[in-house]
Amino acid sequence: GASHCALACHPSMPLLASAAPDLTLRLWDVQQRQMEAMRMLPTSAWDLAFAPTTDTLVVALGASGLLMLDGANLHDLLTLPLGVGSGGACSLAFAPDGAILAVGTDQGSIELRAAGGLWEVLGACGSHAGHSRSRPPTHPRRSRSLGALRGARCRGHRRPCQMGTPRGHDWCHRR
């Protein structure tokens, strides 16, 4: 059988989303143990994340950017490119309150977006020191929590976080 390259559990419903190398995205009812919906993706999914406060499912599509879907039926809501020069989307994590989506890129940067609406870019953290473009990112699993970001305070980045204000990145550091 095909392996899964990305998995995400819905935060409040018994649903699981899975993406496989054959470009299928499936929505599973965990209680009934049956597939509820399936669709084809335009390219391989690197990561999946359900928004904690809505039914939006976000798919990281590498160089193709982000795909926002209705998490109940997998219908398209929005497709977004990443910022110029930020690389391809390879990992996703929502802030616990669902207000911000952090997108890890294959260039080692972290793009921060307002969750919902137009999903505008709020800022970005610079590249991780020592990141090599020739080395693929650690994949497939990364923590769904922002705990690593909270403690990081952007240490190890070549550039400081660029959120527009000196305290704009404080949401990462709350304990």
Side-chain angles (χ1 to χ4, degrees), residues 102-160:
V103 181
T105 73
D106 60 5
Q107 301 290 313
S109 64
I110 302 167
E111 185 175 277
L112 304 171
R113 291 181 171 264
L118 298 176
W119 296 82
E120 64 269 10
V121 175
L122 300 174
C125 292
S127 296
H128 281 265
H131 179 76
S132 168
R133 289 183 184 181
S134 63
R135 187 184 73 223
T138 303
H139 185 65
R141 297 308 340 133
R142 291 173 178 81
S143 170
R144 286 278 171 251
S145 77
L146 291 177
L149 285 177
R150 280 191 201 103
R153 295 187 187 269
C154 297
R155 285 187 299 266
H157 293 168
R158 293 185 192 139
R159 296 185 312 261

Side-chain angles (χ1 to χ4, degrees), residues 2-133:
S3 64
H4 292 96
C5 58
L7 298 169
C9 290
H10 192 283
S12 62
M13 297 171 49
L15 296 174
L16 171 75
S18 66
D22 65 0
L23 306 184
T24 58
L25 176 65
R26 298 169 194 249
L27 188 64
W28 302 89
D29 180 319
V30 176
Q31 290 177 336
Q32 301 296 318
R33 293 181 175 83
Q34 66 184 18
M35 187 173 57
E36 294 291 313
M38 184 181 88
R39 65 165 290 158
M40 297 302 293
L41 293 171
T43 187
S44 295
W46 283 68
D47 201 5
L48 303 171
F50 277 101
T53 57
T54 67
D55 282 336
T56 302
L57 174 64
V58 181
V59 183
L61 295 173
S64 296
L66 302 171
L67 177 60
M68 279 58 171
L69 302 171
D70 182 321
N73 56 28
L74 303 182
H75 292 162
D76 288 23
L77 297 175
L78 189 62
T79 302
L80 295 171
L82 290 186
V84 175
S86 63
C90 62
S91 62
L92 304 167
F94 278 94
D97 65 1
I100 295 176
L101 173 66
V103 181
T105 73
D106 60 5
Q107 301 290 313
S109 64
I110 302 167
E111 185 175 277
L112 304 171
R113 291 181 171 264
L118 298 176
W119 296 82
E120 64 269 10
V121 175
L122 300 174
C125 292
S127 296
H128 281 265
H131 179 76
S132 168
R133 289 183 184 181

